């Protein structure tokens, strides 16, 4: 039984390397790498390359393993906000090209400037999107969790990743290679419409971040973060910080020392109580006033 992956010469080697690594890693059912062939075309059209793999003496168990894995990916995609209204045949097309990946805490998915290889959808865990300045200061732009997706911009425009991505904790993602994804979109234009919503939402988040970093001081940023975290915990007055202080400082656009001083001042003013990573909100009204700079 033959498995063929086609791609153009414009596809980043890293994409192909990831696919090969995944296929070899899952050699319980995919065993023999047969060939790599390049088929040239005329004019300015990129050459089409074919990676050809084969099942060695495929058994019913092998084929069931493949079917079950694809079905699992399909069910996951169907549960995500971006693909929940997509037609079944479109989901099947995506599941056929999707590659499950796992990353240990601290592992880097890609670096700023790497050529865009495809779209990532988080199944579990959390991924931070960040930049590092020449002086070493880190700025976190966003933290994505389960059901979130990222890297859709380079997936569509073919450019490099505009920022880096790393796992804040052990994470599982579903990776969809760029060229294969675009081929599916061409056959199923409704997917492109589904992606427009993600562009709009991420643009709004980026606009909010620029506004926060440009016009708000650290106490205002911290007040907003604590109120938002409380809301995510069901408006709880007592909750745990969901980030180490170093990462939280990077998210709020400051340094750990400044963040620690701000936490201390909030405690001294009776706005919060701190016990390690546990926060108790003592005065929500003052936090709201700080958030709105009143």
């Amino acid at each position: 039984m033959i498995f063929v992956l086609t791609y153009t010469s414009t596809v980043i080697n890293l994409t192909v390397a990831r696919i090969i690594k995944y296929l070899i890693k899952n050699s319980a059912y995919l065993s023999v790498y047969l060939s790599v062939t390049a088929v040239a075309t005329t004019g300015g059209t990129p050459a089409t390359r074919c990676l050809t793999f084969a099942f060695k003496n495929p058994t019913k168990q092998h084929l069931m393993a493949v079917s079950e894995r694809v079905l699992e990916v399909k069910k996951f995609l169907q549960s995500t906000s971006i693909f929940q209204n997509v037609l079944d045949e479109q989901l099947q097309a995506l599941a056929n090209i999707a590659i499950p990946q796992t990353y240990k805490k601290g592992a880097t998915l890609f670096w700023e400037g790497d050529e865009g290889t495809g779209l990532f959808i988080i199944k579990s865990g959390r991924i931070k999107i960040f930049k590092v300045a020449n002086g070493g200061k880190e700025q976190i732009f966003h933290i994505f969790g389960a059901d979130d997706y990222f890297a859709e911009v380079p997936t569509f425009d073919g450019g490099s990743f505009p920022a880096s991505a790393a796992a804040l904790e052990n994470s599982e993602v579903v990776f969809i290679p760029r060229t294969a994804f675009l081929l599916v979109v061409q056959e199923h234009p409704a997917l492109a419409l589904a992606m427009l919503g993600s562009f709009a939402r991420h643009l709004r988040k980026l606009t909010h971040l620029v506004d926060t970093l440009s016009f708000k001081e650290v106490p205002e940023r911290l007040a907003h973060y604590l109120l938002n975290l409380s809301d995510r915990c069901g408006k709880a007055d007592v909750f745990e910080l969901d980030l180490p202080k170093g990462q939280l400082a990077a998210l709020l656009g400051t340094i750990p020392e400044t963040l620690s001083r701000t936490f201390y001042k909030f405690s001294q003013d009776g706005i919060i109580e701190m016990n390690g990573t546990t926060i108790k909100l003592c005065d929500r009204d003052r936090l709201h006033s700080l958030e709105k700079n009143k």
Side-chain angles (χ1 to χ4, degrees), residues 7-62:
Y7 64 101
T8 67
S9 60
T10 57
V11 176
I12 294 46
N13 288 337
L14 181 58
T15 301
V16 179
R18 281 176 170 169
I19 295 171
I20 294 175
K21 181 179 178 181
Y22 172 75
L23 294 174
I24 293 175
K25 180 180 178 182
N26 289 273
S27 58
Y29 59 85
L30 185 63
S31 51
V32 181
Y33 168 56
L34 293 180
S35 65
V36 178
T37 55
V39 182
T41 58
T42 59
T45 305
T48 297
R49 288 180 167 84
C50 298
L51 295 183
T52 308
F53 301 84
F55 291 104
K56 181 180 180 181
N57 301 320
T59 65
K60 182 178 180 180
Q61 288 75 19
H62 292 161

Side-chain angles (χ1 to χ4, degrees), residues 161-205:
F161 290 118
S164 304
L168 285 172
E169 54 195 55
N170 293 342
S171 302
E172 294 179 281
V173 303
V174 171
F175 172 71
I176 303 180
R178 174 179 182 269
T179 301
F181 177 71
L182 292 181
L183 289 173
V184 172
V185 169
Q186 288 175 8
E187 293 187 8
H188 307 283
L191 281 174
L193 293 177
M195 298 297 295
L196 286 177
S198 77
F199 281 115
R201 286 188 292 273
H202 290 175
L203 180 59
R204 286 181 182 275
K205 290 177 181 177

Side-chain angles (χ1 to χ4, degrees), residues 13 28 36 40 49 52 80 107 129 138 145 169 183-184 206 214 224 240 272 292:
N13 288 337
V36 178
R49 288 180 167 84
T52 308
T80 63
I129 307 298
E138 179 181 307
E169 54 195 55
L183 289 173
V184 172
L206 184 59
S214 300
H224 174 79
E240 296 288 325
I272 65 171
K292 297 175 181 178

Side-chain angles (χ1 to χ4, degrees), residues 138-152:
E138 179 181 307
Q139 174 64 58
I140 296 178
F141 292 112
H142 198 78
I143 295 175
F144 291 106
D147 189 39
D148 288 331
Y149 45 91
F150 55 95
E152 68 271 31

Side-chain angles (χ1 to χ4, degrees), residues 23 27 35 64 74 79 83 93 115 138 146 151 154 173 176 185 195 198 210 214 223 232 239 246 263 265-266 286:
L23 294 174
S27 58
S35 65
M64 285 180 63
K74 180 182 176 182
S79 70
F83 295 128
E115 294 188 75
E138 179 181 307
V173 303
I176 303 180
V185 169
M195 298 297 295
S198 77
V210 171
S214 300
R232 285 188 277 130
F239 50 84
F263 268 122
K265 188 174 189 313
F266 279 14
R286 292 185 68 183

